[in-house]
Amino acid sequence: MNIIGQALAGFLTGVFASMGLGGGFVLVVWLTLFMNVDQRAAQGINVLFFLPIAFAALIMHIKNDLINKELVKKLLFGGVVGAAVGTLGAQIVANELLRKLFAVFLIAFGLREIFSAKSSASADQKKSSVKQGD
């Protein structure tokens, strides 16, 4: 069962990551909760797992002309600095606090997605009603 669970976690991580849905949460949660891997190590494994997926997705997005190069230029420096600061911060923060911060992030992100989906569906419904009234 352990090998099946590991394969399933890897598969779901790859699927979610390639769709841009943040597949890393599956891998980090699996590693920390079910495999008893330290939070920092799980995040490091996640980065190594993510790199080839990100590279493949980037190639496909460039091929399909889906990259806003001007926006990338504006955000690239901040992204690199943020990644460096986050990496250094993760080394300073205690592992238990890091786990809790990650859990809070997942909850906050999930709530945002739930409530933004409701408001988006409501806006779509209003647009549909207006079109039908015309």
Side-chain angles (χ1 to χ4, degrees):
M1 180 62 179
N2 196 16
I3 190 81
I4 294 171
Q6 292 171 1
L8 183 60
F11 176 76
L12 290 175
T13 298
V15 168
F16 290 143
S18 65
M19 293 183 346
L21 298 174
F25 80 91
V26 174
L27 186 59
V28 172
V29 169
W30 172 263
L31 290 171
T32 57
L33 291 181
F34 300 104
M35 301 297 295
N36 297 318
V37 174
D38 180 79
Q39 183 74 27
R40 285 188 193 98
Q43 288 176 215
I45 292 167
N46 179 56
V47 170
L48 287 175
F49 194 93
F50 173 76
L51 289 175
I53 295 169
F55 184 70
L58 179 63
I59 290 170
M60 294 302 293
H61 281 72
I62 290 171
K63 179 182 169 189
N64 292 318
D65 197 30
L66 297 172
I67 303 292
N68 182 336
K69 293 176 181 129
E70 291 303 313
L71 185 58
V72 169
K73 288 177 187 176
K74 292 176 184 175
L75 298 175
L76 187 61
F77 179 75
V80 170
V81 171
V85 169
T87 300
L88 293 173
Q91 297 304 314
I92 295 169
V93 174
N95 189 55
E96 195 57 35
L97 178 58
L98 195 59
R99 288 175 63 116
K100 290 176 182 174
L101 290 172
F102 185 71
V104 168
F105 170 77
L106 287 179
I107 291 167
F109 185 77
L111 290 172
R112 190 195 92 177
E113 289 301 305
I114 289 169
F115 290 114
S116 68
K118 285 184 179 180
S119 64
S120 176
S122 176
D124 290 344
Q125 191 176 29
K126 287 179 183 177
K127 287 179 188 177
S128 177
S129 297
V130 170
K131 285 183 181 180
Q132 290 175 357
D134 288 341

PDB file of all heavy atoms in Angstrom, residues 46-82:
ATOM      1  N   ASN A  46      10.009  19.132  -2.752  1.00  0.00           N
ATOM      2  CA  ASN A  46       8.983  19.719  -3.604  1.00  0.00           C
ATOM      3  C   ASN A  46       9.595  20.596  -4.692  1.00  0.00           C
ATOM      4  O   ASN A  46       9.170  20.547  -5.845  1.00  0.00           O
ATOM      5  CB  ASN A  46       7.995  20.529  -2.754  1.00  0.00           C
ATOM      6  CG  ASN A  46       6.927  21.167  -3.588  1.00  0.00           C
ATOM      7  OD1 ASN A  46       6.224  20.491  -4.325  1.00  0.00           O
ATOM      8  ND2 ASN A  46       6.804  22.469  -3.491  1.00  0.00           N
ATOM      9  N   VAL A  47      10.601  21.395  -4.326  1.00  0.00           N
ATOM     10  CA  VAL A  47      11.257  22.248  -5.318  1.00  0.00           C
ATOM     11  C   VAL A  47      11.928  21.394  -6.384  1.00  0.00           C
ATOM     12  O   VAL A  47      11.796  21.660  -7.590  1.00  0.00           O
ATOM     13  CB  VAL A  47      12.270  23.204  -4.648  1.00  0.00           C
ATOM     14  CG1 VAL A  47      13.125  23.909  -5.691  1.00  0.00           C
ATOM     15  CG2 VAL A  47      11.539  24.226  -3.793  1.00  0.00           C
ATOM     16  N   LEU A  48      12.638  20.347  -5.968  1.00  0.00           N
ATOM     17  CA  LEU A  48      13.289  19.465  -6.945  1.00  0.00           C
ATOM     18  C   LEU A  48      12.272  18.773  -7.850  1.00  0.00           C
ATOM     19  O   LEU A  48      12.517  18.575  -9.032  1.00  0.00           O
ATOM     20  CB  LEU A  48      14.156  18.429  -6.230  1.00  0.00           C
ATOM     21  CG  LEU A  48      15.441  18.964  -5.630  1.00  0.00           C
ATOM     22  CD1 LEU A  48      16.148  17.871  -4.838  1.00  0.00           C
ATOM     23  CD2 LEU A  48      16.353  19.518  -6.702  1.00  0.00           C
ATOM     24  N   PHE A  49      11.136  18.398  -7.286  1.00  0.00           N
ATOM     25  CA  PHE A  49      10.080  17.753  -8.049  1.00  0.00           C
ATOM     26  C   PHE A  49       9.457  18.739  -9.030  1.00  0.00           C
ATOM     27  O   PHE A  49       9.103  18.390 -10.149  1.00  0.00           O
ATOM     28  CB  PHE A  49       9.002  17.232  -7.085  1.00  0.00           C
ATOM     29  CG  PHE A  49       8.028  16.272  -7.693  1.00  0.00           C
ATOM     30  CD1 PHE A  49       8.255  14.912  -7.626  1.00  0.00           C
ATOM     31  CD2 PHE A  49       6.889  16.722  -8.319  1.00  0.00           C
ATOM     32  CE1 PHE A  49       7.359  14.017  -8.177  1.00  0.00           C
ATOM     33  CE2 PHE A  49       5.989  15.835  -8.875  1.00  0.00           C
ATOM     34  CZ  PHE A  49       6.222  14.479  -8.800  1.00  0.00           C
ATOM     35  N   PHE A  50       9.346  19.996  -8.604  1.00  0.00           N
ATOM     36  CA  PHE A  50       8.662  21.018  -9.393  1.00  0.00           C
ATOM     37  C   PHE A  50       9.460  21.480 -10.607  1.00  0.00           C
ATOM     38  O   PHE A  50       8.885  21.806 -11.642  1.00  0.00           O
ATOM     39  CB  PHE A  50       8.347  22.216  -8.486  1.00  0.00           C
ATOM     40  CG  PHE A  50       7.787  23.393  -9.203  1.00  0.00           C
ATOM     41  CD1 PHE A  50       6.466  23.398  -9.617  1.00  0.00           C
ATOM     42  CD2 PHE A  50       8.575  24.498  -9.479  1.00  0.00           C
ATOM     43  CE1 PHE A  50       5.935  24.488 -10.289  1.00  0.00           C
ATOM     44  CE2 PHE A  50       8.061  25.594 -10.142  1.00  0.00           C
ATOM     45  CZ  PHE A  50       6.731  25.587 -10.554  1.00  0.00           C
ATOM     46  N   LEU A  51      10.790  21.528 -10.488  1.00  0.00           N
ATOM     47  CA  LEU A  51      11.613  22.114 -11.548  1.00  0.00           C
ATOM     48  C   LEU A  51      11.387  21.500 -12.931  1.00  0.00           C
ATOM     49  O   LEU A  51      11.160  22.231 -13.892  1.00  0.00           O
ATOM     50  CB  LEU A  51      13.089  22.086 -11.152  1.00  0.00           C
ATOM     51  CG  LEU A  51      13.465  23.058 -10.033  1.00  0.00           C
ATOM     52  CD1 LEU A  51      14.917  22.866  -9.633  1.00  0.00           C
ATOM     53  CD2 LEU A  51      13.204  24.498 -10.425  1.00  0.00           C
ATOM     54  N   PRO A  52      11.419  20.173 -13.098  1.00  0.00           N
ATOM     55  CA  PRO A  52      11.186  19.637 -14.446  1.00  0.00           C
ATOM     56  C   PRO A  52       9.759  19.877 -14.936  1.00  0.00           C
ATOM     57  O   PRO A  52       9.536  20.102 -16.133  1.00  0.00           O
ATOM     58  CB  PRO A  52      11.480  18.143 -14.318  1.00  0.00           C
ATOM     59  CG  PRO A  52      11.573  17.858 -12.878  1.00  0.00           C
ATOM     60  CD  PRO A  52      11.801  19.139 -12.153  1.00  0.00           C
ATOM     61  N   ILE A  53       8.796  19.862 -14.020  1.00  0.00           N
ATOM     62  CA  ILE A  53       7.408  20.134 -14.413  1.00  0.00           C
ATOM     63  C   ILE A  53       7.272  21.579 -14.877  1.00  0.00           C
ATOM     64  O   ILE A  53       6.636  21.868 -15.898  1.00  0.00           O
ATOM     65  CB  ILE A  53       6.442  19.831 -13.251  1.00  0.00           C
ATOM     66  CG1 ILE A  53       6.463  18.334 -12.930  1.00  0.00           C
ATOM     67  CG2 ILE A  53       5.023  20.286 -13.574  1.00  0.00           C
ATOM     68  CD1 ILE A  53       5.764  17.974 -11.643  1.00  0.00           C
ATOM     69  N   ALA A  54       7.876  22.496 -14.143  1.00  0.00           N
ATOM     70  CA  ALA A  54       7.824  23.911 -14.505  1.00  0.00           C
ATOM     71  C   ALA A  54       8.501  24.153 -15.851  1.00  0.00           C
ATOM     72  O   ALA A  54       8.002  24.916 -16.678  1.00  0.00           O
ATOM     73  CB  ALA A  54       8.477  24.755 -13.421  1.00  0.00           C
ATOM     74  N   PHE A  55       9.623  23.482 -16.083  1.00  0.00           N
ATOM     75  CA  PHE A  55      10.339  23.635 -17.351  1.00  0.00           C
ATOM     76  C   PHE A  55       9.479  23.152 -18.521  1.00  0.00           C
ATOM     77  O   PHE A  55       9.362  23.834 -19.539  1.00  0.00           O
ATOM     78  CB  PHE A  55      11.670  22.882 -17.303  1.00  0.00           C
ATOM     79  CG  PHE A  55      12.506  23.070 -18.528  1.00  0.00           C
ATOM     80  CD1 PHE A  55      13.096  24.290 -18.792  1.00  0.00           C
ATOM     81  CD2 PHE A  55      12.702  22.024 -19.416  1.00  0.00           C
ATOM     82  CE1 PHE A  55      13.871  24.472 -19.933  1.00  0.00           C
ATOM     83  CE2 PHE A  55      13.472  22.195 -20.556  1.00  0.00           C
ATOM     84  CZ  PHE A  55      14.061  23.419 -20.818  1.00  0.00           C
ATOM     85  N   ALA A  56       8.854  22.002 -18.364  1.00  0.00           N
ATOM     86  CA  ALA A  56       7.985  21.472 -19.425  1.00  0.00           C
ATOM     87  C   ALA A  56       6.789  22.395 -19.661  1.00  0.00           C
ATOM     88  O   ALA A  56       6.420  22.670 -20.809  1.00  0.00           O
ATOM     89  CB  ALA A  56       7.504  20.070 -19.063  1.00  0.00           C
ATOM     90  N   ALA A  57       6.191  22.887 -18.583  1.00  0.00           N
ATOM     91  CA  ALA A  57       5.049  23.794 -18.717  1.00  0.00           C
ATOM     92  C   ALA A  57       5.474  25.100 -19.388  1.00  0.00           C
ATOM     93  O   ALA A  57       4.745  25.641 -20.230  1.00  0.00           O
ATOM     94  CB  ALA A  57       4.425  24.069 -17.353  1.00  0.00           C
ATOM     95  N   LEU A  58       6.653  25.604 -19.045  1.00  0.00           N
ATOM     96  CA  LEU A  58       7.146  26.836 -19.658  1.00  0.00           C
ATOM     97  C   LEU A  58       7.324  26.661 -21.161  1.00  0.00           C
ATOM     98  O   LEU A  58       6.926  27.532 -21.942  1.00  0.00           O
ATOM     99  CB  LEU A  58       8.460  27.254 -18.999  1.00  0.00           C
ATOM    100  CG  LEU A  58       9.116  28.522 -19.561  1.00  0.00           C
ATOM    101  CD1 LEU A  58       8.211  29.730 -19.346  1.00  0.00           C
ATOM    102  CD2 LEU A  58      10.477  28.741 -18.905  1.00  0.00           C
ATOM    103  N   ILE A  59       7.887  25.552 -21.570  1.00  0.00           N
ATOM    104  CA  ILE A  59       8.068  25.287 -23.003  1.00  0.00           C
ATOM    105  C   ILE A  59       6.715  25.281 -23.719  1.00  0.00           C
ATOM    106  O   ILE A  59       6.553  25.896 -24.777  1.00  0.00           O
ATOM    107  CB  ILE A  59       8.820  23.961 -23.222  1.00  0.00           C
ATOM    108  CG1 ILE A  59      10.275  24.115 -22.779  1.00  0.00           C
ATOM    109  CG2 ILE A  59       8.751  23.512 -24.684  1.00  0.00           C
ATOM    110  CD1 ILE A  59      11.046  22.817 -22.732  1.00  0.00           C
ATOM    111  N   MET A  60       5.738  24.609 -23.128  1.00  0.00           N
ATOM    112  CA  MET A  60       4.408  24.543 -23.748  1.00  0.00           C
ATOM    113  C   MET A  60       3.747  25.930 -23.795  1.00  0.00           C
ATOM    114  O   MET A  60       3.112  26.287 -24.788  1.00  0.00           O
ATOM    115  CB  MET A  60       3.508  23.558 -22.997  1.00  0.00           C
ATOM    116  CG  MET A  60       3.965  22.119 -23.091  1.00  0.00           C
ATOM    117  SD  MET A  60       4.084  21.517 -24.799  1.00  0.00           S
ATOM    118  CE  MET A  60       2.376  21.542 -25.263  1.00  0.00           C
ATOM    119  N   HIS A  61       3.908  26.708 -22.740  1.00  0.00           N
ATOM    120  CA  HIS A  61       3.310  28.043 -22.721  1.00  0.00           C
ATOM    121  C   HIS A  61       3.988  28.972 -23.721  1.00  0.00           C
ATOM    122  O   HIS A  61       3.314  29.768 -24.370  1.00  0.00           O
ATOM    123  CB  HIS A  61       3.387  28.632 -21.307  1.00  0.00           C
ATOM    124  CG  HIS A  61       2.335  28.106 -20.397  1.00  0.00           C
ATOM    125  ND1 HIS A  61       2.344  26.830 -19.908  1.00  0.00           N
ATOM    126  CD2 HIS A  61       1.217  28.688 -19.894  1.00  0.00           C
ATOM    127  CE1 HIS A  61       1.289  26.654 -19.136  1.00  0.00           C
ATOM    128  NE2 HIS A  61       0.586  27.762 -19.108  1.00  0.00           N
ATOM    129  N   ILE A  62       5.296  28.873 -23.867  1.00  0.00           N
ATOM    130  CA  ILE A  62       5.997  29.672 -24.872  1.00  0.00           C
ATOM    131  C   ILE A  62       5.549  29.251 -26.265  1.00  0.00           C
ATOM    132  O   ILE A  62       5.260  30.099 -27.120  1.00  0.00           O
ATOM    133  CB  ILE A  62       7.524  29.549 -24.707  1.00  0.00           C
ATOM    134  CG1 ILE A  62       7.978  30.271 -23.439  1.00  0.00           C
ATOM    135  CG2 ILE A  62       8.258  30.090 -25.931  1.00  0.00           C
ATOM    136  CD1 ILE A  62       9.430  30.023 -23.060  1.00  0.00           C
ATOM    137  N   LYS A  63       5.465  27.943 -26.496  1.00  0.00           N
ATOM    138  CA  LYS A  63       5.038  27.411 -27.792  1.00  0.00           C
ATOM    139  C   LYS A  63       3.644  27.915 -28.168  1.00  0.00           C
ATOM    140  O   LYS A  63       3.371  28.231 -29.329  1.00  0.00           O
ATOM    141  CB  LYS A  63       5.050  25.882 -27.736  1.00  0.00           C
ATOM    142  CG  LYS A  63       4.606  25.212 -29.007  1.00  0.00           C
ATOM    143  CD  LYS A  63       4.610  23.711 -28.841  1.00  0.00           C
ATOM    144  CE  LYS A  63       3.913  23.072 -30.032  1.00  0.00           C
ATOM    145  NZ  LYS A  63       3.698  21.661 -29.833  1.00  0.00           N
ATOM    146  N   ASN A  64       2.761  28.013 -27.182  1.00  0.00           N
ATOM    147  CA  ASN A  64       1.382  28.449 -27.432  1.00  0.00           C
ATOM    148  C   ASN A  64       1.200  29.954 -27.254  1.00  0.00           C
ATOM    149  O   ASN A  64       0.072  30.439 -27.218  1.00  0.00           O
ATOM    150  CB  ASN A  64       0.422  27.687 -26.514  1.00  0.00           C
ATOM    151  CG  ASN A  64       0.357  26.222 -26.873  1.00  0.00           C
ATOM    152  OD1 ASN A  64       0.316  25.847 -28.038  1.00  0.00           O
ATOM    153  ND2 ASN A  64       0.389  25.364 -25.867  1.00  0.00           N
ATOM    154  N   ASP A  65       2.300  30.688 -27.150  1.00  0.00           N
ATOM    155  CA  ASP A  65       2.297  32.146 -27.014  1.00  0.00           C
ATOM    156  C   ASP A  65       1.402  32.617 -25.857  1.00  0.00           C
ATOM    157  O   ASP A  65       0.593  33.524 -26.002  1.00  0.00           O
ATOM    158  CB  ASP A  65       1.866  32.808 -28.336  1.00  0.00           C
ATOM    159  CG  ASP A  65       2.244  34.273 -28.384  1.00  0.00           C
ATOM    160  OD1 ASP A  65       3.260  34.644 -27.764  1.00  0.00           O
ATOM    161  OD2 ASP A  65       1.511  35.053 -29.029  1.00  0.00           O
ATOM    162  N   LEU A  66       1.574  31.975 -24.701  1.00  0.00           N
ATOM    163  CA  LEU A  66       0.774  32.298 -23.529  1.00  0.00           C
ATOM    164  C   LEU A  66       1.563  33.042 -22.446  1.00  0.00           C
ATOM    165  O   LEU A  66       1.081  33.193 -21.331  1.00  0.00           O
ATOM    166  CB  LEU A  66       0.178  31.006 -22.932  1.00  0.00           C
ATOM    167  CG  LEU A  66      -0.780  30.257 -23.839  1.00  0.00           C
ATOM    168  CD1 LEU A  66      -1.145  28.907 -23.233  1.00  0.00           C
ATOM    169  CD2 LEU A  66      -2.027  31.077 -24.108  1.00  0.00           C
ATOM    170  N   ILE A  67       2.758  33.491 -22.793  1.00  0.00           N
ATOM    171  CA  ILE A  67       3.606  34.187 -21.828  1.00  0.00           C
ATOM    172  C   ILE A  67       3.554  35.684 -22.112  1.00  0.00           C
ATOM    173  O   ILE A  67       3.837  36.125 -23.223  1.00  0.00           O
ATOM    174  CB  ILE A  67       5.076  33.706 -21.909  1.00  0.00           C
ATOM    175  CG1 ILE A  67       5.173  32.206 -21.688  1.00  0.00           C
ATOM    176  CG2 ILE A  67       5.968  34.483 -20.954  1.00  0.00           C
ATOM    177  CD1 ILE A  67       4.849  31.748 -20.298  1.00  0.00           C
ATOM    178  N   ASN A  68       3.167  36.468 -21.113  1.00  0.00           N
ATOM    179  CA  ASN A  68       3.186  37.929 -21.204  1.00  0.00           C
ATOM    180  C   ASN A  68       4.587  38.375 -20.817  1.00  0.00           C
ATOM    181  O   ASN A  68       4.896  38.533 -19.640  1.00  0.00           O
ATOM    182  CB  ASN A  68       2.123  38.518 -20.276  1.00  0.00           C
ATOM    183  CG  ASN A  68       2.051  40.024 -20.359  1.00  0.00           C
ATOM    184  OD1 ASN A  68       3.008  40.692 -20.726  1.00  0.00           O
ATOM    185  ND2 ASN A  68       0.893  40.558 -20.003  1.00  0.00           N
ATOM    186  N   LYS A  69       5.431  38.575 -21.801  1.00  0.00           N
ATOM    187  CA  LYS A  69       6.851  38.858 -21.555  1.00  0.00           C
ATOM    188  C   LYS A  69       7.059  40.171 -20.801  1.00  0.00           C
ATOM    189  O   LYS A  69       7.958  40.277 -19.984  1.00  0.00           O
ATOM    190  CB  LYS A  69       7.618  38.840 -22.869  1.00  0.00           C
ATOM    191  CG  LYS A  69       7.673  37.447 -23.475  1.00  0.00           C
ATOM    192  CD  LYS A  69       8.342  37.428 -24.822  1.00  0.00           C
ATOM    193  CE  LYS A  69       8.317  36.010 -25.338  1.00  0.00           C
ATOM    194  NZ  LYS A  69       7.798  35.871 -26.656  1.00  0.00           N
ATOM    195  N   GLU A  70       6.227  41.168 -21.050  1.00  0.00           N
ATOM    196  CA  GLU A  70       6.356  42.434 -20.328  1.00  0.00           C
ATOM    197  C   GLU A  70       6.054  42.254 -18.847  1.00  0.00           C
ATOM    198  O   GLU A  70       6.735  42.802 -17.991  1.00  0.00           O
ATOM    199  CB  GLU A  70       5.430  43.491 -20.936  1.00  0.00           C
ATOM    200  CG  GLU A  70       5.855  43.943 -22.318  1.00  0.00           C
ATOM    201  CD  GLU A  70       7.282  44.501 -22.337  1.00  0.00           C
ATOM    202  OE1 GLU A  70       7.629  45.323 -21.458  1.00  0.00           O
ATOM    203  OE2 GLU A  70       8.063  44.095 -23.220  1.00  0.00           O
ATOM    204  N   LEU A  71       5.045  41.469 -18.536  1.00  0.00           N
ATOM    205  CA  LEU A  71       4.710  41.204 -17.139  1.00  0.00           C
ATOM    206  C   LEU A  71       5.816  40.393 -16.460  1.00  0.00           C
ATOM    207  O   LEU A  71       6.171  40.655 -15.316  1.00  0.00           O
ATOM    208  CB  LEU A  71       3.372  40.468 -17.045  1.00  0.00           C
ATOM    209  CG  LEU A  71       2.819  40.222 -15.652  1.00  0.00           C
ATOM    210  CD1 LEU A  71       2.638  41.532 -14.900  1.00  0.00           C
ATOM    211  CD2 LEU A  71       1.493  39.471 -15.734  1.00  0.00           C
ATOM    212  N   VAL A  72       6.390  39.440 -17.186  1.00  0.00           N
ATOM    213  CA  VAL A  72       7.498  38.646 -16.640  1.00  0.00           C
ATOM    214  C   VAL A  72       8.668  39.562 -16.291  1.00  0.00           C
ATOM    215  O   VAL A  72       9.257  39.442 -15.211  1.00  0.00           O
ATOM    216  CB  VAL A  72       7.945  37.545 -17.630  1.00  0.00           C
ATOM    217  CG1 VAL A  72       9.241  36.902 -17.187  1.00  0.00           C
ATOM    218  CG2 VAL A  72       6.858  36.505 -17.787  1.00  0.00           C
ATOM    219  N   LYS A  73       8.985  40.491 -17.168  1.00  0.00           N
ATOM    220  CA  LYS A  73      10.088  41.423 -16.910  1.00  0.00           C
ATOM    221  C   LYS A  73       9.833  42.243 -15.643  1.00  0.00           C
ATOM    222  O   LYS A  73      10.743  42.497 -14.864  1.00  0.00           O
ATOM    223  CB  LYS A  73      10.287  42.365 -18.096  1.00  0.00           C
ATOM    224  CG  LYS A  73      10.880  41.710 -19.314  1.00  0.00           C
ATOM    225  CD  LYS A  73      10.976  42.692 -20.459  1.00  0.00           C
ATOM    226  CE  LYS A  73      11.406  42.015 -21.738  1.00  0.00           C
ATOM    227  NZ  LYS A  73      11.417  42.937 -22.877  1.00  0.00           N
ATOM    228  N   LYS A  74       8.586  42.647 -15.431  1.00  0.00           N
ATOM    229  CA  LYS A  74       8.250  43.455 -14.261  1.00  0.00           C
ATOM    230  C   LYS A  74       8.306  42.647 -12.968  1.00  0.00           C
ATOM    231  O   LYS A  74       8.656  43.174 -11.915  1.00  0.00           O
ATOM    232  CB  LYS A  74       6.845  44.054 -14.411  1.00  0.00           C
ATOM    233  CG  LYS A  74       6.749  45.093 -15.497  1.00  0.00           C
ATOM    234  CD  LYS A  74       5.322  45.576 -15.654  1.00  0.00           C
ATOM    235  CE  LYS A  74       5.189  46.543 -16.809  1.00  0.00           C
ATOM    236  NZ  LYS A  74       3.792  46.919 -17.044  1.00  0.00           N
ATOM    237  N   LEU A  75       7.953  41.370 -13.013  1.00  0.00           N
ATOM    238  CA  LEU A  75       7.823  40.561 -11.807  1.00  0.00           C
ATOM    239  C   LEU A  75       9.051  39.711 -11.478  1.00  0.00           C
ATOM    240  O   LEU A  75       9.183  39.234 -10.355  1.00  0.00           O
ATOM    241  CB  LEU A  75       6.603  39.645 -11.928  1.00  0.00           C
ATOM    242  CG  LEU A  75       5.252  40.342 -12.058  1.00  0.00           C
ATOM    243  CD1 LEU A  75       4.148  39.315 -12.282  1.00  0.00           C
ATOM    244  CD2 LEU A  75       4.956  41.183 -10.844  1.00  0.00           C
ATOM    245  N   LEU A  76       9.942  39.520 -12.445  1.00  0.00           N
ATOM    246  CA  LEU A  76      11.046  38.586 -12.278  1.00  0.00           C
ATOM    247  C   LEU A  76      11.964  38.945 -11.111  1.00  0.00           C
ATOM    248  O   LEU A  76      12.276  38.089 -10.279  1.00  0.00           O
ATOM    249  CB  LEU A  76      11.848  38.474 -13.573  1.00  0.00           C
ATOM    250  CG  LEU A  76      12.927  37.403 -13.594  1.00  0.00           C
ATOM    251  CD1 LEU A  76      12.309  36.029 -13.394  1.00  0.00           C
ATOM    252  CD2 LEU A  76      13.684  37.451 -14.901  1.00  0.00           C
ATOM    253  N   PHE A  77      12.385  40.186 -11.014  1.00  0.00           N
ATOM    254  CA  PHE A  77      13.303  40.578  -9.943  1.00  0.00           C
ATOM    255  C   PHE A  77      12.674  40.339  -8.573  1.00  0.00           C
ATOM    256  O   PHE A  77      13.295  39.754  -7.683  1.00  0.00           O
ATOM    257  CB  PHE A  77      13.718  42.048 -10.091  1.00  0.00           C
ATOM    258  CG  PHE A  77      14.639  42.511  -9.004  1.00  0.00           C
ATOM    259  CD1 PHE A  77      15.971  42.128  -8.994  1.00  0.00           C
ATOM    260  CD2 PHE A  77      14.166  43.314  -7.972  1.00  0.00           C
ATOM    261  CE1 PHE A  77      16.825  42.538  -7.979  1.00  0.00           C
ATOM    262  CE2 PHE A  77      15.015  43.733  -6.956  1.00  0.00           C
ATOM    263  CZ  PHE A  77      16.341  43.348  -6.960  1.00  0.00           C
ATOM    264  N   GLY A  78      11.442  40.773  -8.398  1.00  0.00           N
ATOM    265  CA  GLY A  78      10.749  40.571  -7.120  1.00  0.00           C
ATOM    266  C   GLY A  78      10.574  39.100  -6.794  1.00  0.00           C
ATOM    267  O   GLY A  78      10.688  38.695  -5.635  1.00  0.00           O
ATOM    268  N   GLY A  79      10.318  38.289  -7.797  1.00  0.00           N
ATOM    269  CA  GLY A  79      10.167  36.849  -7.578  1.00  0.00           C
ATOM    270  C   GLY A  79      11.459  36.202  -7.131  1.00  0.00           C
ATOM    271  O   GLY A  79      11.466  35.372  -6.218  1.00  0.00           O
ATOM    272  N   VAL A  80      12.560  36.583  -7.734  1.00  0.00           N
ATOM    273  CA  VAL A  80      13.861  36.019  -7.356  1.00  0.00           C
ATOM    274  C   VAL A  80      14.232  36.462  -5.940  1.00  0.00           C
ATOM    275  O   VAL A  80      14.669  35.648  -5.118  1.00  0.00           O
ATOM    276  CB  VAL A  80      14.955  36.425  -8.373  1.00  0.00           C
ATOM    277  CG1 VAL A  80      16.342  36.067  -7.872  1.00  0.00           C
ATOM    278  CG2 VAL A  80      14.682  35.771  -9.722  1.00  0.00           C
ATOM    279  N   VAL A  81      14.032  37.744  -5.642  1.00  0.00           N
ATOM    280  CA  VAL A  81      14.339  38.250  -4.296  1.00  0.00           C
ATOM    281  C   VAL A  81      13.436  37.568  -3.265  1.00  0.00           C
ATOM    282  O   VAL A  81      13.891  37.138  -2.198  1.00  0.00           O
ATOM    283  CB  VAL A  81      14.202  39.788  -4.234  1.00  0.00           C
ATOM    284  CG1 VAL A  81      14.293  40.290  -2.804  1.00  0.00           C
ATOM    285  CG2 VAL A  81      15.269  40.452  -5.091  1.00  0.00           C
ATOM    286  N   GLY A  82      12.139  37.445  -3.584  1.00  0.00           N
ATOM    287  CA  GLY A  82      11.202  36.785  -2.671  1.00  0.00           C
ATOM    288  C   GLY A  82      11.577  35.340  -2.416  1.00  0.00           C
ATOM    289  O   GLY A  82      11.483  34.850  -1.282  1.00  0.00           O
TER     290      GLY A  82
END
